[in-house]
Amino acid sequence: MLTEYQWIKDSIGKEDGGNLLLEWLDNARNHDESVLFICGAGLSMTGATPAPSGWHVGEAYENYLRTKGIDIPSEKSGDISKLYEYFCYPEVKGIKVFSNEKHNEFIDAITSRNHLFRFSGRPNFQHHSLLNEVLEAKGNIRIYSLNLDEFFDVASIFSENGPHNLVVNGANLKEEPISNRIFRDWKILAAHGKNIKNEQSVWSENILVNSMDDEVPKHLLAEKQIITKAIECIKQGPYFEKVIFVGVAAPLTYLINDLKEKLTENFQWAWFNPFKPPQEWLINSDLEKTFNETNGVWVETGLTECLWNAHSTFYQRWLSTSCNENITDIPLLQKYSNESHKKTLVESIYRARRIYDKGLQSFVENKKNPEFLSEISDSRDVYSYPQMLTGNRYEDSNLGESLHKLFLSRIELSRSPSENFPELTVANKISDSAPISAHIFKFNSLVPENEVAIGIARTFDGVFINSNHRHIIIIDVQLYNIENLIRAVETEVTRRFPSDYKYIDVTTADQLDMYLDSHDFSLPPERARRP
């Protein structure tokens, strides 16, 4: 017999939650552990285009019904699953049947532009970040989404790491045989379908709160078919060492019995929710208490804060490894040690790594799309993790080391350039008498020298190069005659800015120490100085 339950174990906050998340994600990427995210409405309720909670959806639908003069039974009011089942399955000759017309009216009512929330639009940080984790982990991280929005779809379309068809719509699996590889190979599953006209999705209470073994009314068989195929994805998926619940509120009784059969013996789980502890429907979901206080933890904060903390810790380690210094001995990191500055640090490094990786090769693309440089410069979205090479070095450790050296010369990491700095500036010194901008690019031997030179010069377009502003271009290149490239850059910059080219210096990552030691950056460039 199951008894009433109340969570007693102390919760953890965003710092410990971030460390736990970093460890679990790292193990998935690098140590072949499988992680399952089960995501509810709380995942999508932040960002530029927040999705609605179940309460918001219910309110919108009830408002629509009232404007039509339709009476709402008191026992249905306030619960969207009850409202949907009652109104979208009207009785016809004494038998409840699905009404596509009522379903479409429901979709219209909850997606009206009069609401503050959306089911599609710009994804938030959590969508971008989790999508990237799925890609990086190569199948070891799966997302079982309860949401009917399209934010993961949009994040997938705009992902720089591809592929762009990662999201499986559960409603599209109804007619698929279970021998289809998609039931084994899925990565992100919209388990309840999508909020789309003329396509059924799972809203009804009778489906969500009952076991899969329970019979459901005949009129709900189509919804149950969607859930049955979603469960088949769990059955054919990997065994999971970790399960993470994010923003889940409504009971998922239908899921737990089959899920527990896919958990390893020593699995662990986490419940990310800033408002409510793990719920009784989960803890008391079975007599064995598969999910309990011993193997689980309540993270009493949102996933967003923990992700920022996890990424901040990762990039602190990245800089430490790149510079071969302790974290506490890197002044750049001390500037961003304050809790409120961690997001700025991470976004700045995302941007610097994107420019470092894609800057030079983007010059070719820029000829076809003049807005491409601006897109790279403006983007602070999640970027792929750096790969570790032999010798305890990352593939872009030269970037981290260069940012550290520049900071020691008071040329600081930039989150975005001001109007007086070239678009691809990654570090700068703001000064009235001797301002400095620095660019750091990884050299791509497939891009011709003249294209590189033209591209670098083009980043200065629209920027007023005044006589006391020094620009430093650092190119990370190995086993290459860099002098040819430097001459090409100087020639092109001279052609475009005949009176100002002397204020643009080109050097390499391995010669940066020598360059910095030979200049006094408290003073403007020599030609700009007055006798």
Side-chain angles (χ1 to χ4, degrees), residues 75-325:
E75 67 273 14
K76 309 297 182 185
S77 180
D79 189 322
I80 186 58
S81 61
K82 293 179 180 179
L83 287 166
Y84 182 85
E85 186 173 345
Y86 182 80
F87 286 103
C88 293
Y89 291 91
E91 285 193 11
V92 178
K93 297 180 180 180
I95 300 174
K96 279 184 169 289
V97 295
F98 175 71
S99 168
N100 192 62
E101 179 185 359
K102 297 297 183 184
H103 170 78
N104 288 345
E105 289 176 1
F106 168 77
I107 298 298
D108 279 335
I110 67 175
T111 56
S112 166
R113 287 290 175 180
N114 294 327
H115 304 311
L116 296 176
F117 51 75
R118 299 285 182 269
F119 284 87
S120 184
R122 182 179 175 183
N124 64 30
F125 173 67
Q126 297 176 111
H127 298 116
H128 284 298
S129 186
L130 292 186
L131 177 79
N132 189 62
E133 297 293 343
V134 168
L135 292 168
E136 297 271 357
K138 297 177 173 58
N140 285 337
I141 293 178
R142 309 285 179 107
I143 297 175
Y144 188 95
S145 176
L146 313 173
N147 299 329
L148 286 87
D149 59 53
E150 298 183 18
F151 292 109
F152 275 124
D153 303 74
V154 177
S156 177
I157 291 170
F158 289 100
S159 169
E160 298 172 348
N161 304 325
H164 305 313
N165 56 346
L166 280 179
V167 184
V168 176
N169 181 350
N172 293 340
L173 299 178
K174 287 193 300 181
E175 307 304 324
E176 294 292 337
I178 60 174
S179 58
N180 191 317
R181 289 182 57 183
I182 197 169
F183 290 99
R184 183 180 72 249
D185 297 340
W186 64 278
K187 301 299 185 296
I188 301 176
L189 177 65
H192 294 180
K194 293 293 183 66
N195 189 47
I196 300 173
K197 285 186 175 182
N198 302 313
E199 181 181 287
Q200 278 194 265
S201 45
V202 179
W203 288 94
S204 301
E205 180 186 37
N206 267 311
I207 298 294
L208 302 176
V209 301
N210 290 308
S211 167
M212 291 298 292
D213 296 328
D214 295 336
E215 289 189 16
V216 299
K218 188 175 181 179
H219 63 276
L220 295 178
L221 288 179
E223 285 193 47
K224 185 165 184 178
Q225 190 178 6
I226 296 174
I227 291 296
T228 301
K229 290 301 178 72
I231 291 295
E232 189 62 35
C233 289
I234 293 292
K235 290 179 177 179
Q236 294 194 33
Y239 284 86
F240 295 103
E241 280 89 2
K242 306 289 190 295
V243 178
I244 299 174
F245 295 88
V246 180
V248 176
L252 295 176
T253 310
Y254 79 87
L255 173 64
I256 302 303
N257 281 339
D258 290 293
L259 174 60
K260 71 180 184 181
E261 299 300 324
K262 297 296 294 186
L263 304 176
T264 60
E265 183 178 356
N266 297 313
F267 94 100
Q268 296 173 280
W269 63 283
W271 176 274
F272 282 79
N273 193 310
F275 308 112
K276 294 182 179 180
Q279 298 294 285
E280 184 177 354
W281 61 261
L282 176 62
I283 305 303
N284 276 343
S285 58
D286 60 346
L287 289 170
E288 297 83 7
K289 292 192 183 297
T290 302
F291 294 88
N292 57 67
E293 291 187 355
T294 301
N295 59 15
V297 61
W298 174 24
V299 185
E300 195 177 358
T301 188
L303 182 67
T304 298
E305 291 81 2
C306 293
L307 281 169
W308 282 121
N309 274 291
H311 288 214
S312 173
T313 300
F314 176 87
Y315 282 110
Q316 287 180 52
R317 296 174 184 173
W318 170 77
L319 269 171
S320 175
T321 299
S322 299
C323 303
N324 197 25
E325 298 274 4

Side-chain angles (χ1 to χ4, degrees), residues 21-22 25-26 29 129 132-133 136-137 161 307 310-311 314-315 318 350 353 357 382-388 394-396:
L21 200 57
L22 179 62
L25 295 176
D26 180 71
R29 289 194 309 273
S129 186
N132 189 62
E133 297 293 343
E136 297 271 357
N161 304 325
L307 281 169
H311 288 214
F314 176 87
Y315 282 110
W318 170 77
Y350 286 160
R353 292 190 59 244
D357 282 342
V382 178
Y383 199 58
S384 58
Y385 286 100
Q387 300 300 306
M388 179 67 79
Y394 287 102
E395 59 182 352
D396 55 3

Side-chain angles (χ1 to χ4, degrees), residues 10 132 241 243 249 283 409 411 456 472:
D10 289 342
N132 189 62
E241 280 89 2
V243 178
I283 305 303
S409 295
I411 305 169
I456 288 177
I472 307 169

Side-chain angles (χ1 to χ4, degrees), residues 22 125 129 132-133 304-319 332-333 335-354 379-386 399 403 413-416 426:
L22 179 62
F125 173 67
S129 186
N132 189 62
E133 297 293 343
T304 298
E305 291 81 2
C306 293
L307 281 169
W308 282 121
N309 274 291
H311 288 214
S312 173
T313 300
F314 176 87
Y315 282 110
Q316 287 180 52
R317 296 174 184 173
W318 170 77
L319 269 171
L332 168 60
L333 294 180
K335 176 180 178 179
Y336 294 96
S337 60
N338 188 291
E339 186 70 32
S340 62
H341 294 160
K342 288 182 178 180
K343 178 180 177 182
T344 301
L345 171 67
V346 174
E347 287 187 326
S348 300
I349 292 178
Y350 286 160
R351 179 177 174 275
R353 292 190 59 244
R354 180 177 285 104
S379 179
R380 293 192 291 272
D381 284 337
V382 178
Y383 199 58
S384 58
Y385 286 100
L399 168 65
L403 291 171
L413 181 64
S414 173
R415 186 167 178 259
S416 59
V426 297

